Amino acid sequence: MQNDNVSMQDELRQMKSDYEYLKAGMDKQVIINRQLMEAVLRNKAGVLEANRRNTTAGVGAAILITLAASYIRGLDMRLAGMIAALYVLMLIGYALIYRQLGKIEYGTDNVLSTVTRLRRFKRNYRIVNILSWILVIALMCFLFPEIHHTFRNPERGLAAIAFMCVAVLAGICIQYFMDRKVLKACDDIIDQLKEKP
């Protein structure tokens, strides 16, 4: 009877030791998973932050280049002002959507709130981009005749219009790839947050 009691106590001690070992392993795994999730989230949030900085810098530079080029080349300041106003509207749109998004960090906000902010950001980001390109195309339709008439030589006017068309198409392509990267980063963050332990 006493041997059974001793062997049962030994088994209980062994089970307790095994449990402690497994618990320590699980705790290490949770810490590693949390660190991996933080690194992935930081990386994806970095894509959004880089896009915000690049967009702000790019649009600001475009405003300055437009105004300087119009002054140097003698383009009507009314037209240059319209182009600069378009850039300012784009800048305001991006500033507002990024301000609403706020900072994305692991563990600083509840998951539902962060996912909701990211989904709203994605929707607003698409809206700002669509409206920006509609305004660009409308402005180009207005500017093409004006640009054509500013050149004394019609061939130079057509060349300027062709150059602007190529620039707009290049801008659309670049914007498409940037948008894809930003929207994919949002989706990846949302998916990562949904899997949060």
Side-chain angles (χ1 to χ4, degrees):
M1 179 82 173
Q2 195 172 19
N3 280 343
D4 289 341
N5 204 9
V6 169
S7 77
M8 190 183 286
Q9 285 179 352
D10 286 342
E11 284 181 28
L12 285 173
R13 273 194 287 267
Q14 182 62 37
M15 287 175 65
K16 185 177 178 185
S17 172
D18 291 344
Y19 172 77
E20 293 296 327
Y21 177 77
L22 287 171
K23 186 176 180 312
M26 289 294 286
D27 289 344
K28 284 181 186 176
Q29 187 64 37
V30 166
I31 289 170
I32 290 169
N33 284 347
R34 181 180 168 90
Q35 290 171 341
L36 287 172
M37 185 177 272
E38 286 175 4
V40 168
L41 196 64
R42 229 183 348 253
N43 184 24
K44 298 300 178 183
V47 169
L48 299 177
E49 182 62 24
N51 184 60
R52 183 190 64 77
R53 281 192 316 266
N54 293 339
T55 301
T56 303
V59 172
I63 292 170
L64 293 175
I65 289 169
T66 300
L67 294 175
S70 66
Y71 179 74
I72 292 169
R73 298 297 280 159
L75 186 65
D76 185 7
M77 285 307 276
R78 181 177 54 99
L79 298 175
M82 289 172 62
I83 296 170
L86 170 69
Y87 288 137
V88 168
L89 286 174
M90 289 171 62
L91 193 59
I92 290 170
Y94 282 115
L96 287 175
I97 62 172
Y98 273 102
R99 185 164 188 230
Q100 285 179 348
L101 176 62
K103 193 132 176 95
I104 303 292
E105 292 178 334
Y106 184 82
T108 59
D109 206 357
N110 69 24
V111 173
L112 182 61
S113 168
T114 304
V115 168
T116 303
R117 284 187 300 133
L118 280 164
R119 286 187 176 144
R120 187 173 43 236
F121 171 79
K122 279 178 58 178
R123 184 194 71 224
N124 292 341
Y125 187 84
R126 286 182 182 127
I127 290 170
V128 165
N129 280 332
I130 290 168
L131 289 176
S132 295
W133 284 111
I134 289 171
L135 288 173
V136 164
I137 291 169
L139 185 62
M140 290 300 124
C141 289
F142 176 76
L143 286 178
F144 286 162
E146 295 293 325
I147 290 171
H148 186 266
H149 294 305
T150 58
F151 288 96
R152 292 185 183 136
N153 185 347
E155 288 81 24
R156 291 183 95 192
L158 290 174
I161 290 172
F163 176 77
M164 288 188 72
C165 287
V166 169
V168 168
L169 287 174
I172 289 171
C173 292
I174 291 168
Q175 188 68 42
Y176 170 76
F177 289 113
M178 286 174 40
D179 292 347
R180 229 173 80 177
K181 188 175 181 179
V182 167
L183 296 175
K184 182 165 178 10
C186 288
D187 289 337
D188 290 346
I189 292 171
I190 290 170
D191 292 342
Q192 195 75 32
L193 289 173
K194 285 182 179 177
E195 295 172 9
K196 182 178 176 182

